[in-house]
Amino acid sequence: MKNSNSDNWYVADFETTTFEYYQKYGCTKVWLYAISNPDGEIVNWGEDINEFFKFIKTLNGSIVYFHNLKFDGSFILNYFIRQKLQYKDKITFKDAGCYNTLISDIGQFYQITYHPHRGCTIKFQDSLKIIPFKVEKIAKDFKLPMLKGHINYNDYTVNETTKAYVFNDVKIVALALRELKALGLTQMTTASCAYNNFTVDFKFMNEYFPQLDTEFLEEYRLAYRGGRCQVNPLYEGQILYNVKRYDVNSMYPAVMSFYDLPFGKPIRCTVPGHYKFELYKVDIKFKLKEGHLPSLLKKNVMWAEGSYYIESDGLETMYISNIDLQILERHYDIESLIYLEIFGFRTINGLFKNYIDKWYMIKSQNVGAKRAIAKLMLNSLYGKFGSRCKGASKIPYLDEEGVLCFATTPELDMKKYYLPVAIAIVSYAHLIIDDAIVSTGFDKFVYCDTDSVHTLGDLDRSIVDNLLLGKFKLEAVELKSKYIRQKTYCFCELGKDNEIEYTITCAGMNDATKQYLLDTEKENVFNVFDKGLTIEGYKLLPMQVPGGTVLVPSTFTLKE
């Protein structure tokens, strides 16, 4: 495949010393690195960060990707600050010996810009923001001709094995990125790639998705709730058999294709119900109906205990869409409802249909890289419309002990996106999941997570089809399962060659901890996997130390 040199870019990776090295020497460092071009050819490798930057200075005008810039970028920033480079908010052509960063207020690394001398600019960006998977998964999903290897991370010997390991890592990411860029997907994040791809073909952005007032966007962002994820209290912590796991075929793309979605300026109303899609500010008091499951997610308490309303905190002021209010009325007794503001929207079907149809066809007709890219494009577009319109950033500095720290800037206005369409898409997704739960029955429902429903029963046949967009597919029947809480469960099912395969899904538990638990407990995992479970030494937490980041072995506890 020919390189696209509108894209002068490379992929790099650092191998760095571990926590044991830090304990002995009080710092960390780069002991091996590699840089690949877009064709997966190694153009440079070396054994310390000084060699790295000697070569980087020859790449004027290039983007250099790291797969997890937050980690590798900490070594870059340590180097810059120790070399006395100046941080400048705005870098001009004439500047030399300076740099700046694009790091969000929640610590997401997007870009580091390096200006070593006059007229020379190199940008470091995060490929993980474009292909949000581990390198091992990228190699498999894109069906690349190499796989991620393994090394002893405490052995810093540079030999053919360690070089092959780091070379493969950069080759895998480079070849995957090349596939995206060949399709014109060149932005900094997956969502930005999807949004740009949509807007190139959609000629009426300003008419259908106008810029709305910042005050409105900030206020009604409180109506933008995440996907529904919960365990039925009836089955929490119990060992279950023959749980059926249904997933929606591309749920968000289906909503974008088939549902009437808002467009244009909000229209202030005096009574509800005039428009198909409406946003409300209400004073409301409610309590869960007997025999029903809580369905309304509280704001800013994702995956915490008590994240769904059992009852309101007295008469509570709330921002909510008419769709989410419909679900609320299904499961709660409303004692008081006062509309403080009502905004209606004109709606239309099919604004996203051409975009969805294009990528769904690519997904359906291809395997490997194109299929993997199509899945990313299908699932990433709606979220861009839900982006914040204000945000702060972080500026790096070293503290007195030489450890990388960050100062947070005041909030600034950012690009505005059409929030109501994101709220509508997620609200309709809530309704799809709630309809499925009602379909199977509260006594059979076990678990749901965003676009999936797990049940001891069946879903209504009218909403099940293994292929059709927006229908539920029976993904698997779990032979044995145990659901602890949101995003925390384990199960076994028949895999290849009719062998029983065990799987743990657990927020906060890394792969090494899961594998240790499965290796040591095997089928007994269902007895030990519960609140209070403690496993030492396999969970790795990042810690800033002089030189960069180390991963510190720590204890994983499945909290009560």
Side-chain angles (χ1 to χ4, degrees), residues 267-275 278 339-344:
I267 303 160
R268 190 178 290 273
C269 304
T270 55
V271 293
H274 188 71
Y275 292 91
E278 295 175 340
Y339 291 91
L340 304 176
E341 280 185 340
I342 302 169
F343 288 102

Side-chain angles (χ1 to χ4, degrees), residues 263-327:
F263 70 94
K265 295 281 189 179
I267 303 160
R268 190 178 290 273
C269 304
T270 55
V271 293
H274 188 71
Y275 292 91
K276 278 190 176 181
F277 183 76
E278 295 175 340
L279 290 175
Y280 306 138
K281 178 182 179 182
V282 298
D283 278 345
I284 188 170
K285 184 178 182 182
F286 57 86
K287 187 175 183 179
L288 186 67
K289 292 178 180 179
E290 188 174 346
H292 285 249
L293 289 169
S295 62
L296 184 66
L297 181 67
K298 297 177 182 178
K299 290 296 291 181
N300 303 320
V301 289
M302 188 66 77
W303 319 140
E305 292 290 335
S307 54
Y308 287 85
Y309 279 99
I310 302 299
E311 60 183 328
S312 61
D313 185 13
L315 190 64
E316 192 168 332
T317 301
M318 185 177 291
Y319 295 84
I320 192 168
S321 71
N322 62 322
I323 310 303
D324 281 340
L325 183 60
Q326 174 187 334
I327 301 170

Side-chain angles (χ1 to χ4, degrees), residues 15 31-33 45-48 155-164 166-167:
E15 295 304 320
W31 64 271
L32 180 62
Y33 74 86
W45 68 273
E47 300 180 30
D48 67 52
D155 181 356
Y156 312 128
T157 305
V158 177
N159 54 33
E160 293 307 309
T161 299
T162 52
K163 286 195 295 182
V166 70
F167 289 1

